[in-house]
Amino acid sequence: MVLPLTAQINEGGHLEIGGCDTVELAKRFNTPLFVMDEMTIRKQCREYLSSFRKLDKNTEVIYASKAFISIAMCQIIQEEGLLLDVSSGGELYIAKKANFPSEKIFMHGNNKTPQELELALEMGIDCIVVDSENELELLDKMASEKGVKPDIMLRITPGIKPSTHNYIQTGQVDSKFGFGLADGIALETVKRTLEYKNLCLRGLHIHIGSQIFALHSYAKAIEIIMDFTKQVFDETGFSATEINVGGGLGIKYEAKDEPSTIKEYAEVIVRGVQREAEKHGIPCPKILVEPGRSIVGNSGVTLYTVGTIKKIPGIRTYISIDGGMSDNLRPMLYDAVYEAMIANKANFEPVSKVTLAGKHCEAGDVLIKDVKLPSVEVGDILCTPATGAYGYMMANNYNKQPRPAVIFVNKGNATEIIRRENYEDLVCLERPLK
Ligand code: LLP
């Protein structure tokens, strides 16, 4: 599955998603346009809950909202019974606006500002995942001033380097995140945390990275964190009631990708924690997972309009579309590879290789190099699948490009859940010199 679950080619030979003709959507809402299939998002949520709870009822799935957050998305997550992870005050504020229950929110971040912690404490969120010594001190002081005692977890760096792009590895020793195990800092920190009067330690958190296919890195990380849990228990008597193993399950961006399934992932996580708990003779903690990309990534596609075609004889053909690095930074940041199709020629055979370029003043603004497509003409609607995660969230206004709209489609209905920015939006924060 690279395309959303409900994708099909309709009688007009157009790509259809959620019962909506994408070529019609492009006409109605203009391009570039993010189209997200509600059914795919809900199916992934259900697959996560059922796969984990089948193996262990005492598990929670926390949606990592950095992959894609909006008020409508929060509503779906709540309806599907997942918890929510936010990594900034902005994400927390959106959850608040969506009336997402505070007691189901986890907060992350390696440098949460006092204002962000203030909002978290005011809202009374479920748990703050503390990332540094400075944060512990600050949070304890703020909690004392407010007369509250927030639940916290400590983010531990297990010293693992999974196989994925360097920029999205987070569990290695040399990481800005969390408390290191190798240098003994993690153990020291747990001991100190237990002395803080205004903080309630619930357990430990790890997150080794993102877009991970090989599950053995998770098995190793679990072994390491459970060894540590046992060490903590022996040295302090503290028994972690929860273990949060983070997110990171990879998805299919290209047909040839072979990510593990949610079921296989659940098996490795749940059986891993259970096995290690038994090995150490400690009670099995509640297991928490934090998927982002694998919930929402394949639900989304981006639609673009082809504006210009430049043929360089014997070298390559550039097809330029009306978006690019302002709506999808992943090819430029992580060398991410995408597929493409022509939404209005969905049943045409590919004929030649072309390069899909963005419209930005930057030679590196290339979405896909050498993609095989049917004969492309100006005005065609190009579709890049698997852009539901970290697409709109990393969108920007480079070259003062307004950010696209986001449409949720379901059973033939299209709902604009984020409207397109307009030129007025681009200047609304500006003030002229006096
Ligand atoms: N939990 C924590 C603490 C995280 O930092 C992340 C992602 C997740 C969960 C969710 O990971 P996921 O299941 O989505 O892989 N912009 C990059 C990805 C950055 C991931 C940051 N942290 C990309 O586009 O590939």
Side-chain angles (χ1 to χ4, degrees):
M1 185 181 79
V2 176
L3 278 164
L5 201 64
T6 60
Q8 57 180 38
I9 299 174
N10 67 16
E11 283 171 3
H14 294 178
L15 171 67
E16 183 182 294
I17 298 173
C20 297
D21 183 318
T22 55
V23 182
E24 292 298 318
L25 291 176
K27 260 192 219 139
R28 183 172 156 204
F29 295 103
N30 208 347
T31 55
L33 186 69
F34 283 95
V35 178
M36 297 178 72
D37 180 39
E38 215 181 300
M39 198 105 89
T40 305
I41 300 174
R42 289 186 189 276
K43 185 192 156 251
Q44 295 305 90
C45 292
R46 289 171 197 177
E47 183 74 11
Y48 258 103
L49 273 186
S50 65
S51 302
F52 276 87
R53 297 232 167 118
K54 206 175 123 200
L55 300 173
D56 182 349
K57 283 200 180 59
N58 196 24
T59 52
E60 291 290 355
V61 180
I62 312 172
Y63 170 62
S65 71
K66 60 187 71 100
F68 179 77
I69 188 169
S70 74
I71 290 174
M73 184 68 194
C74 289
Q75 290 173 306
I76 291 186
I77 291 302
Q78 191 188 346
E79 281 170 17
E80 293 300 330
L82 273 62
L83 313 187
L84 194 74
D85 136 10
V86 298
S87 58
S88 71
E91 288 174 0
L92 184 55
Y93 189 73
I94 292 180
K96 185 176 180 208
K97 280 281 182 189
N99 291 322
F100 197 90
S102 295
E103 69 280 8
K104 293 186 172 179
I105 300 178
F106 277 62
M107 187 172 198
H108 287 285
N110 65 306
N111 183 15
K112 303 176 193 76
T113 64
Q115 293 80 1
E116 289 175 321
L117 291 172
E118 178 80 29
L119 183 59
L121 291 178
E122 235 166 57
M123 285 174 64
I125 67 168
D126 187 30
C127 188
I128 298 174
V129 182
V130 175
D131 212 287
S132 71
E133 186 59 45
N134 300 108
E135 186 185 347
L136 271 177
E137 270 171 39
L138 176 63
L139 190 59
D140 183 69
K141 184 162 163 277
M142 290 175 73
S144 149
E145 282 163 11
K146 281 194 168 313
V148 292
K149 193 169 179 183
D151 279 7
I152 65 162
M153 296 188 107
L154 293 177
R155 178 159 178 171
I156 307 295
T157 319
I160 291 238
K161 234 173 166 340
S163 139
T164 186
H165 193 282
N166 276 345
Y167 286 5
I168 46 181
Q169 289 174 337
T170 50
Q172 70 280 18
V173 172
D174 184 0
S175 164
K176 71 170 180 169
F177 298 106
F179 300 97
L181 271 184
D183 42 21
I185 287 176
L187 184 60
E188 277 303 300
T189 306
V190 173
K191 287 180 180 166
R192 217 158 326 120
T193 303
L194 293 170
E195 285 165 15
Y196 280 109
K197 295 208 168 47
N198 307 294
L199 304 175
C200 178
L201 181 61
R202 237 160 63 180
L204 305 171
H205 173 281
I206 48 172
H207 171 73
I208 57 176
S210 202
Q211 185 58 6
I212 295 168
F213 282 12
L215 297 178
H216 59 80
S217 300
Y218 285 105
K220 186 73 200 152
I222 286 171
E223 197 186 321
I224 291 173
I225 197 67
M226 291 300 284
D227 283 353
F228 180 60
T229 303
K230 164 72 170 154
Q231 187 188 6
V232 165
F233 179 71
D234 288 345
E235 296 206 19
T236 69
F238 170 75
S239 172
T241 51
E242 289 181 12
I243 290 288
N244 185 333
V245 298
L249 180 62
I251 64 161
K252 222 176 166 90
Y253 281 98
E254 295 179 90
K256 70 171 174 51
D257 290 340
E258 288 177 349
S260 302
T261 64
I262 294 172
K263 276 199 185 68
E264 290 163 345
Y265 172 68
E267 191 78 30
V268 168
I269 301 291
V270 175
R271 297 293 179 231
V273 176
Q274 288 172 341
R275 187 182 53 241
E276 293 300 313
E278 203 182 312
K279 182 175 101 190
H280 290 302
I282 54 176
C284 188
K286 180 173 185 169
I287 301 168
L288 312 177
V289 281
E290 270 170 359
R293 188 192 315 265
S294 49
I295 297 274
V296 85
N298 288 110
S299 77
V301 305
T302 313
L303 302 177
Y304 303 99
T305 305
V306 174
T308 62
I309 299 174
K310 173 181 175 176
K311 291 187 175 142
I312 309 174
I315 299 184
R316 71 175 66 243
T317 297
Y318 284 98
I319 306 289
S320 289
I321 43 92
D322 52 357
M325 63 192 292
S326 51
D327 58 75
N328 189 357
L329 267 178
R330 300 194 69 262
M332 302 82 204
L333 275 182
Y334 320 115
D335 296 320
V337 178
Y338 286 81
E339 291 186 340
M341 62 188 289
I342 305 177
N344 52 302
K345 296 174 181 169
N347 51 9
F348 286 31
E349 289 300 315
V351 290
S352 57
K353 275 191 182 162
V354 295
T355 288
L356 210 62
K359 75 190 291 292
H360 294 278
C361 299
E362 187 107 357
D365 178 29
V366 167
L367 279 186
I368 317 176
K369 247 189 185 164
D370 297 331
V371 58
K372 244 187 150 188
L373 285 177
S375 161
V376 188
E377 293 158 285
V378 169
D380 278 344
I381 302 300
L382 247 147
C383 168
T384 52
T387 56
Y390 306 109
Y392 188 83
M393 290 299 106
M394 299 202 296
N396 58 78
N397 295 123
Y398 184 40
N399 296 140
K400 282 294 164 190
Q401 168 87 347
R403 280 176 298 178
V406 182
I407 308 295
F408 271 10
V409 289
N410 192 27
K411 296 184 183 146
N413 295 316
T415 314
E416 187 180 48
I417 61 142
I418 303 179
R419 77 152 167 82
R420 180 178 303 285
E421 280 178 344
N422 56 38
Y423 289 153
E424 261 321 296
D425 291 324
L426 296 179
V427 289
C428 72
L429 303 176
E430 306 224 7
R431 304 287 179 265
L433 277 175
K434 284 269 156 43

